Amino acid sequence: MAKDPKFTARETAQIGWYIARMAKRGIAGETVYQGDLERKVDRIIDGAREREARQEADAAAAEKAARKAAAKAKNRK
C-alpha cells in the first residue's frame, strides 16, 4: 500500500469527523453500513496524494526554471 501523504489541517479534521461518525455507527451495530464514509475517507486520502504529486511536480519545474535562468545569466556575462 502506498505511503500516506502529509495531510492539511482541513483534511485531518475531515478524516477525524468521518472516523467519529464511523465509530458512532459502529456502536449502533455491526450490520450498519459504513461504506459511504469509508469511500469519503479514501477520497480525501487520494486527493492528498494527488495534491502532493502536483506540488512535487511544480517544485521540480520551478527548480528547473531557476537552473535554466542561472545558466542563461552565466552565459550572458
Side-chain angles (χ1 to χ4, degrees):
M1 177 146 196
K3 183 179 168 187
D4 284 340
K6 288 189 174 185
F7 297 111
T8 62
R10 177 186 173 137
E11 292 165 343
T12 303
Q14 284 179 327
I15 290 172
W17 176 254
Y18 291 136
I19 289 175
R21 287 180 61 194
M22 282 189 250
K24 187 176 177 182
R25 286 186 186 179
I27 292 171
E30 291 183 19
T31 60
V32 177
Y33 181 71
Q34 294 188 11
D36 58 331
L37 297 175
E38 292 169 358
R39 279 195 311 273
K40 288 180 181 184
V41 170
D42 290 341
R43 205 173 308 135
I44 293 169
I45 293 170
D46 292 341
R49 284 188 185 124
E50 290 172 6
R51 177 185 40 80
E52 274 200 343
R54 267 194 322 270
Q55 287 176 343
E56 289 173 6
D58 290 346
E63 183 179 336
K64 183 178 178 182
R67 282 187 306 218
K68 187 175 180 179
K72 192 173 186 181
K74 183 179 177 183
N75 289 336
R76 285 186 180 180
K77 289 183 180 182

